[in-house]
């Protein structure tokens, strides 16, 4: 697969490019790794009389009433129209899509794809429309929006990226796809983005999942092997200062937070490199545990780094950390790819010089040119699941650096030993009554 820059894809302005890069999409090949979240099945047309309530369906209908818009309440619009085919009538409704009033015209025939409901007859809700003269597109991939980059834009970018990046070399060893009954790599990439039918899509997704799990397991084995050869460092924690900071919080920690905090601090004092995952639902208080551990590292004479998967989450952590460390003398620094060149140079100088005690940022933290004076604790927020190698890259920014990962993703008991085989796991299984960070 050829490595081609996003500039070759075309129609990607500065704001879209920044959003894509913040999401980890920096090349045309990265676009091909943005997999669809769902598929619209435009392969079969259903007559209006047979539209199945509660399901998605495609109908070829002629609009027979002038689309009308109403505003049942402030900030909420409904566009309504009636349509029909030879079998019967069907209502069309679009919520908070006022532009649909002019998007479809009375007397014209369209293909509509949407969810069917039953209320005084059949109703298609928030349907997507196409010209009735178009050929049925079959299975259409639907992507998650990335900031200002809409699913439709992503679909176009992926089509261009596929043409730019080919041909695709097989990534598995010779003979593996045939022996394991797996689709070839190039065919799988093409099919997962441009599926011909559901059976082919199922096989393509099996191949992609197999490859992801294989690479993940290999990366875990690499980390485990390297950690086995890495000498750790016991941090000299000032438990009195940590206890004082914990007791100064405007809310008490839950028993689950206390347990997770004890387990992390216990690991940090061991002569082995720490690798621990703290899992808990959103709002369970993982962040305050991580900030207390960062405070422990700073009090021991080291720096701490927080890496978040998006600039929005990184800024949220930054503002939370500023409030948390106010009055303690701990200096908090922010670093992201969206900063100006001058601001980034100043931040890098403070990080390298040791003036920045706690550094919070995006994937920019693991890029070349970022040097820490003495990184003792690396924290990765896996709310959107960083890869193993990204965690490893952050860890390598410090010598014998401890690693703490926060995740809101529930971990099934049978899956934890495989997905996080390189880490010990702490679980925060209760919510704070007052909602601490």
């Amino acid at each position: 697969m050829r490595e081609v820059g996003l500039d070759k894809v075309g129609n990607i302005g500065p704001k879209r490019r920044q959003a894509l890069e913040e999401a980890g999409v920096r090349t045309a090949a990265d676009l091909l790794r943005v997999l669809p979240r769902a598929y619209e099945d435009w392969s079969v047309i259903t007559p209006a009389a047979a539209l199945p309530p509660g399901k998605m369906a495609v109908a070829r209908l002629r609009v027979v009433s002038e689309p009308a818009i109403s505003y049942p309440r402030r900030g909420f619009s409904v566009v309504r129209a009636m349509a029909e085919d030879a079998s019967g009538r069907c209502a069309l409704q679009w919520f908070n899509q006022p532009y649909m009033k002019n998007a479809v015209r009375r007397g014209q025939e369209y293909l509509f794809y949407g969810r069917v409901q039953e209320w005084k007859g059949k109703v298609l809700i928030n349907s997507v429309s196409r010209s009735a003269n178009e050929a049925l597109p079959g299975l259409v991939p639907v992507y998650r929006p990335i900031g200002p980059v809409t699913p439709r834009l992503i679909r176009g970018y992926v089509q261009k990226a596929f043409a730019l990046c080919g041909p695709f070399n097989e990534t598995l060893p010779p003979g593996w796809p045939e022996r394991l009954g797996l689709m070839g790599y190039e065919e799988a990439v093409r099919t997962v983005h441009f599926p011909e039918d559901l059976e082919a899509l199922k096989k393509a997704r099996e191949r992609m999942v197999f490859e992801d799990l294989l690479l993940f397991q290999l990366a875990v084995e690499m980390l485990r092997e390297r950690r086995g050869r890495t000498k750790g460092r016991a941090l000299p924690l000032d438990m009195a200062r940590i206890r004082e900071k914990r007791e100064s919080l405007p809310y008490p920690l839950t028993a689950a937070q206390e347990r997770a905090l004890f387990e992390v601090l216990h690991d940090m004092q061991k002569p082995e490199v720490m690798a621990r995952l703290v899992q808990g639902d959103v709002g369970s208080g993982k962040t305050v545990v991580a900030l207390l551990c960062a405070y422990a590292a700073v009090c021991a004479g080291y720096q701490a780094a927080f890496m978040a998967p998006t600039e929005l989450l990184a800024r949220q952590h930054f503002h939370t950390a500023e409030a948390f460390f106010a009055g303690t003398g701990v200096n908090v620094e922010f670093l992201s790819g969206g900063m100006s060149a001058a601001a980034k140079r100043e931040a890098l100088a403070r990080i390298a010089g040791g003036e920045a005690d706690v550094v919070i940022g995006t994937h920019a933290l693991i890029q070349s040119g970022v040097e820490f004076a003495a990184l003792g604790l690396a924290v990765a927020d896996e709310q959107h699941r960083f890869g193993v190698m990204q965690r490893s890259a952050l860890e390598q920014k410090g010598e014998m650096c401890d690693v703490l990962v926060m995740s809101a993703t529930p971990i099934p008991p049978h899956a934890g030993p495989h997905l996080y085989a390189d880490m010990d796991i702490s679980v925060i299984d209760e919510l704070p009554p007052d909602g601490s960070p």
Side-chain angles (χ1 to χ4, degrees):
M1 185 189 298
R2 290 198 296 266
E3 285 295 333
V4 180
L6 287 178
D7 56 306
K8 302 295 183 183
V9 175
N11 196 30
I12 302 180
K15 289 186 178 179
R16 291 174 184 169
R17 181 170 189 139
Q18 181 178 340
L20 288 170
E21 289 181 347
E22 285 292 337
V25 180
R26 301 178 191 89
T27 67
D30 289 334
L31 280 167
L32 299 178
R33 299 182 185 102
V34 178
L35 301 183
R37 65 173 177 82
Y39 297 85
E40 297 174 353
D41 188 355
W42 290 75
S43 60
V44 178
I45 293 177
T46 303
L51 288 171
K55 297 189 176 180
M56 306 296 288
V58 179
R60 178 181 279 120
L61 304 169
R62 179 181 294 102
V63 179
V64 296
S65 70
E66 198 67 40
I69 188 168
S70 62
Y71 296 89
R73 60 178 182 272
R74 185 180 179 85
F76 182 74
S77 68
V78 181
V79 174
R80 294 183 176 89
M82 288 300 299
E84 67 179 15
D85 63 11
S87 72
R89 285 199 162 198
C90 177
L92 306 171
Q93 286 190 358
W94 292 275
F95 300 113
N96 281 334
Q97 297 180 39
Y99 54 87
M100 291 304 299
K101 182 181 183 302
N102 300 314
V104 295
R105 297 171 180 267
R106 180 181 179 182
Q108 297 294 313
E109 194 174 52
Y110 301 89
L111 292 170
F112 293 100
Y113 174 90
R115 183 167 296 280
V116 183
Q117 289 190 2
E118 188 109 43
W119 187 76
K120 296 182 180 179
K122 302 290 177 64
V123 185
L124 272 175
I125 302 295
N126 288 344
S127 57
V128 179
S129 63
R130 291 172 176 260
S131 169
N133 296 323
E134 290 186 32
L136 287 176
L139 291 172
V140 176
V142 180
Y143 301 87
R144 294 187 186 280
I146 302 175
V149 187
T150 64
R152 187 181 292 269
L153 282 170
I154 295 173
R155 193 182 307 147
Y157 294 160
V158 167
Q159 288 176 329
K160 293 177 183 176
F162 192 84
L164 288 168
C165 295
F168 298 76
N169 296 325
E170 178 55 58
T171 54
L172 294 179
W176 275 39
E178 296 80 7
R179 190 165 66 251
L180 297 173
L182 295 171
M183 187 178 280
Y185 181 70
E186 181 166 357
E187 185 182 0
V189 173
R190 182 193 302 110
T191 303
V192 82
H193 289 291
F194 319 112
E196 294 182 3
D197 55 56
L198 289 172
E199 186 60 32
L201 176 60
K202 179 183 177 182
K203 291 181 179 178
R205 296 180 78 169
E206 284 177 353
R207 166 60 199 263
M208 303 299 278
V209 169
F210 176 86
E211 183 142 333
D212 283 347
L213 291 176
L214 177 63
L215 291 174
F216 188 94
Q217 197 61 42
L218 289 173
V220 165
E221 290 299 326
M222 288 169 59
L223 283 179
R224 185 190 289 120
E225 192 272 338
R226 194 182 76 220
R227 285 211 175 97
R229 294 185 283 102
T230 302
K231 183 180 179 181
R233 170 184 55 203
L235 295 188
L237 301 187
D238 189 334
M239 299 307 295
R241 290 181 67 184
I242 298 168
R243 191 178 304 110
E244 183 182 358
K245 177 59 182 171
R246 185 193 62 189
E247 292 173 354
S248 72
L249 297 175
Y251 39 76
L253 299 185
T254 64
Q257 285 175 304
E258 291 277 10
R259 183 177 64 247
L261 177 63
F262 171 81
E263 289 170 350
V264 177
L265 295 178
H266 181 69
D267 282 359
M268 292 172 69
Q269 295 178 89
K270 289 181 178 179
E272 297 91 23
V273 174
M274 178 184 76
R276 181 168 288 276
L277 169 75
V278 175
Q279 189 276 325
D281 291 339
V282 174
S284 62
K286 300 183 296 294
T287 304
V288 71
V289 170
L291 289 173
L292 283 167
C293 295
Y295 183 68
V298 173
C299 291
Y302 293 89
Q303 294 168 297
F306 276 67
M307 184 167 68
T310 67
E311 181 155 351
L312 177 62
L313 282 170
R315 287 195 179 279
Q316 289 175 351
H317 283 318
F318 175 67
H319 295 313
T320 299
E322 280 190 314
F324 183 89
F325 290 117
T328 64
V330 174
N331 297 317
V332 185
E333 189 71 52
F334 182 78
L335 184 67
S336 82
M339 297 170 64
S340 67
K344 189 178 293 185
R345 279 196 303 271
E346 293 174 2
L348 291 175
R350 287 190 289 269
I351 295 169
E355 299 171 50
D357 299 309
V358 177
V359 185
I360 298 175
T362 60
H363 63 272
L365 292 176
I366 62 176
Q367 293 178 347
S368 60
V370 181
E371 296 182 1
F372 288 81
L375 183 61
L377 176 67
V379 182
D381 183 345
E382 284 199 331
Q383 184 166 339
H384 293 95
R385 197 65 66 83
F386 274 117
V388 174
M389 300 315 293
Q390 286 175 298
R391 283 190 260 138
S392 176
L394 179 59
E395 174 188 352
Q396 291 178 65
K397 291 292 181 178
E399 185 180 355
M400 296 181 290
C401 179
D402 288 332
V403 177
L404 177 65
V405 176
M406 299 188 295
S407 177
T409 305
I411 304 169
H414 65 279
H418 301 288
L419 293 177
Y420 292 96
D422 61 321
M423 314 193 81
D424 296 311
I425 299 175
S426 296
V427 179
I428 300 179
D429 52 8
E430 60 180 312
L431 296 176
D434 299 318
S436 60

